[in-house]
C-alpha cells in the first residue's frame, strides 16, 4: 500500500513539474512519518524513500537509531531550545527555525559537536495565529541576523499553508514565499545559500510544485491518516 501511495504521489509531482515547465530533479518528496511505526517507515524505505520528516525530537531520535543510516532526517516541527542538543548531529535539515534565539542555540550546540547544521527559516505566510513562523515582513531581517552565526547555514524557507478544501486557495501563500525567496537571493547575503523552498503537504503539494517548491512534505498521502492519543493533541493544529 505504502509503495503504491509513493508511486502515486510521485506521478502527480511529475505531472505538476511537466505542467509548470520544471525539471523533475528539482523536487524531492519528504515522507512525513510522525506517529507512524518503524515498520511502515521501512516499507517507504524499501520503496526508495530516503527523506523522512518528523516533528518531535524524541521520536526522530528513536527512529534515527532504528532505521538505516543513509536516511536524511528532516526536523519539520516546532523545536524547543532545550532539545536542540539531541538532534544537531542527526538531522540533515531543520525546517522550522523562526527566531534568533533558536538559531543561536543551534549554532552553539553545532559548535560543540563540530558540525554545520543546515536550516530553513519558517515563515507564517498566511499569518495564522495557531502557527509558528516569522512574519513575511520580518523574514529578511531575521535571515540577515541568523546568517552571521557560525556553525549553521541558511538554505531556504519553509511554510505550512492553512488547511483548505480547495488547494488553489493556498497558491497565493506559495507564491508569496517564493517572492520572499527571490528577494533574499537578490540581496546576496554572505553565508546564505538559497536553494530550498519547503512547501506543500498532502492537500496542496501539486500547487506548491507549480509555484517552485523544492521539497514537498507528504504524510497522510503516503502513510494514511494519523491516530493521535490525547497527549498528542497539540499535533492536530
Ligand atoms: C504533519 C506535517 C506534514 C504532513 O501533513 P499531511 O497533511 O499529512 O501530508 C507536513 N509538514 C509539517 C510541518 C507537518 O507537521
Amino acid at each position: 500500500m505504502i509503495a503504491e501511495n509513493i508511486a502515486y504521489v510521485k506521478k502527480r509531482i511529475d505531472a505538476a513539474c511537466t505542467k509548470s515547465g520544471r525539471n523533475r530533479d528539482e523536487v524531492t518528496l519528504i515522507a512525513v512519518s510522525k506517529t507512524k511505526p518503524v515498520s511502515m517507515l521501512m516499507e517507504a524505505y524499501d520503496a526508495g524513500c530516503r527523506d523522512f520528516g518528523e516533528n518531535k525530537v524524541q521520536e526522530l531520535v528513536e527512529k534515527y537509531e532504528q532505521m538505516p543510516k543513509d536516511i536524511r532526517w528532516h526536523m519539520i516541527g516546532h523545536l524547543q531550545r532545550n532539545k536542540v542538543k539531541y538532534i544537531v548531529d542527526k538531522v540533515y535539515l531543520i525546517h522550522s527555525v523562526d527566531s534568533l534565539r533558536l538559531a543561536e542555540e543551534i549554532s552553539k550546540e553545532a559548535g560543540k559537536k563540530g558540525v554545520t547544521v543546515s536550516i530553513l527559516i519558517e515563515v507564517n505566510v498566511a499569518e495564522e495565529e495557531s502557527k509558528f513562523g516569522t512574519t513575511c515582513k520580518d523574514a529578511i531581517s531575521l535571515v540577515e541576523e541568523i546568517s552571521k552565526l557560525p556553525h549553521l547555514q541558511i538554505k531556504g524557507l519553509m511554510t505550512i499553508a492553512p488547511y483548505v478544501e480547495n488547494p488553489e486557495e493556498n497558491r497565493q501563500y506559495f507564491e508569496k514565499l517564493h517572492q520572499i525567496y527571490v528577494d533574499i537571493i537578490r540581496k546576496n547575503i554572505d553565508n546564505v545559500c538559497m536553494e530550498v523552498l519547503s512547501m506543500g503537504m498532502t492537500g496542496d503539494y501539486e500547487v506548491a510544485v507549480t509555484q517552485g517548491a523544492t521539497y514537498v512534505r507528504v504524510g497522510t498521502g503516503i502513510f494514511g491518516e494519523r491516530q493521535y492519543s490525547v497527549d498528542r493533541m497539540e499535533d492536530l493544529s
Side-chain angles (χ1 to χ4, degrees), residues 32 34 55 76-77 158 160 201-203 217-221 226:
V32 176
K34 62 192 186 197
N55 70 338
I76 61 173
M158 177 270 225
I160 304 175
M201 308 177 15
T202 297
R217 311 177 307 265
V218 178
T220 312
R226 287 177 291 274

Side-chain angles (χ1 to χ4, degrees), residues 122-189:
E122 179 173 354
V123 186
N124 183 2
V125 183
E127 298 188 357
E128 289 182 285
E129 262 174 46
S130 60
K131 300 243 165 83
F132 293 99
T134 184
T135 61
C136 294
K137 189 167 70 60
D138 294 337
I140 295 184
S141 56
L142 184 62
V143 167
E144 285 172 330
E145 285 179 278
I146 293 177
S147 70
K148 294 173 191 149
L149 300 172
H151 314 299
L152 53 75
Q153 182 161 47
I154 300 176
K155 296 273 190 189
L157 306 175
M158 177 270 225
T159 197
I160 304 175
Y163 181 80
V164 289
E165 288 292 321
N166 176 3
E168 282 298 329
E169 289 173 39
N170 282 339
R171 185 177 293 281
Q172 56 180 320
Y173 302 122
F174 299 141
E175 202 174 350
K176 178 85 205 215
L177 193 72
H178 183 262
Q179 187 54 53
I180 299 169
Y181 173 85
V182 170
D183 291 345
I184 294 170
I185 291 173
R186 293 216 177 107
K187 288 209 141 210
N188 249 317
I189 306 164

Side-chain angles (χ1 to χ4, degrees), residues 24 38-39 73 89 105 125 135-136 160-161 171 187 229:
R24 179 61 182 85
V38 163
S39 58
W73 292 97
D89 56 346
E105 183 68 19
V125 183
T135 61
C136 294
I160 304 175
R171 185 177 293 281
K187 288 209 141 210
S229 57

